[in-house]
């Protein structure tokens, strides 16, 4: 069962999504929408997949991916002789170093006492800097509303001592919720079990060795993370600022030098 924490504990919490247990029922999507009062979507047939909600967005804060037809037999699934059909419930990663939080000019994005990244809709001005700064493509702007939205980490439920709605609704406990350090130990134990059962391609997705410095939404996957639309090496856009400022400074110095040289040549020839 999930390990619960209350506001009084002030503990860093997290999700552990085990894709090997997900059955694609989308109960987590429905529970998220019901609790947060999010509009319904996904009723239009895309023609590309059985999954019609398609991706995370302003009106989909939990999304069950349908990973249909992995390219190589034996990679993912339980039958090594057939192509598999995987499911994985995706959500905001609540990064340790969050690009959206760093880019927000109004303070609409804050770090909560539980370690999650919370977007305050009443402070959002709709600039969409967070949208382009998220290395996972999680945040989306509602063009009709004008503001950006994403998973709230069910901060209101956590403050009341309850687990997030998605984890509560999951019938297979594919989505676990609790203290980050506890879930990391649970993930290690689960990985060992899967490997002993012959699932050698099982991996834990938690990009700690990148500028993101780790996430609060851990994922147990089979095969490469790209198959699940997860970047193998996500980076926070602000890491490129130093290089940009250095280039700008070099160009400025070169421009000043060129102007000074032109002035000296003009003085010499006049």
């Amino acid at each position: 069962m999930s390990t619960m924490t209350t506001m009084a504990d002030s503990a860093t919490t997290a999700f552990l999504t085990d894709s090997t247990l997900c059955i694609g029922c989308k109960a987590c999507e429905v529970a998220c929408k019901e609790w947060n009062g999010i509009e319904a979507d996904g009723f239009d047939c895309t023609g590309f997949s059985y999954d019609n909600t398609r991706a995370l967005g302003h009106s989909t804060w939990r999304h069950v991916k349908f990973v249909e037809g992995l390219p190589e037999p034996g990679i993912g699934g339980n039958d090594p002789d057939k192509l598999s059909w995987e499911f994985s419930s995706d959500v905001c990663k609540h990064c340790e170093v969050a690009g959206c939080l760093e880019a927000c000019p109004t303070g609409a994005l804050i770090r909560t006492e539980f370690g999650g990244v919370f977007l305050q809709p009443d402070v959002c001005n709709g600039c969409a800097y967070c949208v382009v700064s998220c290395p996972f493509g999680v945040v989306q702007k509602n063009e009709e509303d004008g503001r950006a939205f994403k998973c709230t980490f069910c901060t209101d439920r956590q403050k009341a001592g309850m687990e997030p709605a998605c984890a509560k609704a999951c019938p297979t406990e594919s989505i676990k919720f609790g203290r980050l350090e506890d879930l990391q130990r649970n993930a290690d134990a689960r990985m060992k079990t899967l490997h002993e059962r012959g699932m050698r391609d099982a991996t834990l997705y938690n990009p700690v060795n990148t500028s993101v410095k780790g996430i609060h939404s851990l994922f147990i996957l089979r095969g490469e993370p790209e198959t699940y639309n997860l970047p193998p090496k996500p980076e926070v856009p602000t890491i490129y600022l130093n290089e940009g400022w250095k280039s700008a400074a070099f160009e400025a110095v070169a421009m000043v030098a060129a102007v000074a040289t032109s002035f000296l040549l003009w003085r010499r020839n006049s």
Side-chain angles (χ1 to χ4, degrees), residues 126-265:
C127 68
Y129 289 171
C130 57
V131 176
V132 298
S133 298
C134 174
F136 296 96
V138 167
V139 194
Q140 185 184 46
K141 181 177 178 180
N142 185 338
E143 296 298 336
E144 295 181 4
D145 180 275
R147 298 173 297 176
F149 293 91
K150 72 172 193 68
C151 164
T152 65
F153 210 26
C154 272
T155 300
D156 54 345
R157 290 177 63 94
Q158 289 198 61
K159 287 183 177 181
M162 299 188 294
E163 62 184 327
C166 56
K168 182 71 173 178
C170 182
T172 63
E173 291 193 0
S174 169
I175 303 172
K176 294 180 175 63
F177 173 78
R179 296 174 184 268
L180 177 59
E181 58 269 26
D182 292 341
L183 292 181
Q184 288 172 332
R185 286 192 291 268
N186 290 346
D188 292 338
R190 177 63 176 169
M191 292 290 296
K192 182 179 179 181
T193 299
L194 292 175
H195 290 165
E196 289 174 348
R197 292 177 179 175
M199 301 182 192
R200 298 294 179 182
D201 58 344
T203 59
L204 176 63
Y205 184 78
N206 183 20
V208 293
N209 297 320
T210 69
S211 57
V212 171
K213 303 297 183 184
I215 53 181
H216 290 233
S217 299
L218 312 177
F219 296 88
I220 293 178
L221 312 171
R222 296 199 62 189
E224 299 300 323
E226 297 96 321
T227 306
Y228 298 82
N229 198 31
L230 292 170
K233 191 177 179 182
E235 299 288 2
V236 180
T238 49
I239 66 170
Y240 301 105
L241 285 178
N242 287 338
E243 182 179 344
W245 281 114
K246 287 178 182 178
S247 298
F250 176 80
E251 293 295 335
V253 170
M255 185 178 298
V256 171
V259 171
T261 301
S262 299
F263 178 75
L264 291 175
L265 289 175

Side-chain angles (χ1 to χ4, degrees), residues 61-85:
W61 299 353
R62 258 285 179 186
H63 171 242
V64 178
K65 301 174 182 175
F66 286 19
V67 186
E68 298 151 302
L70 293 175
E72 298 180 35
I75 304 300
N78 298 316
D79 188 339
D81 298 320
K82 297 180 180 179
L83 292 175
S84 65
W85 192 8

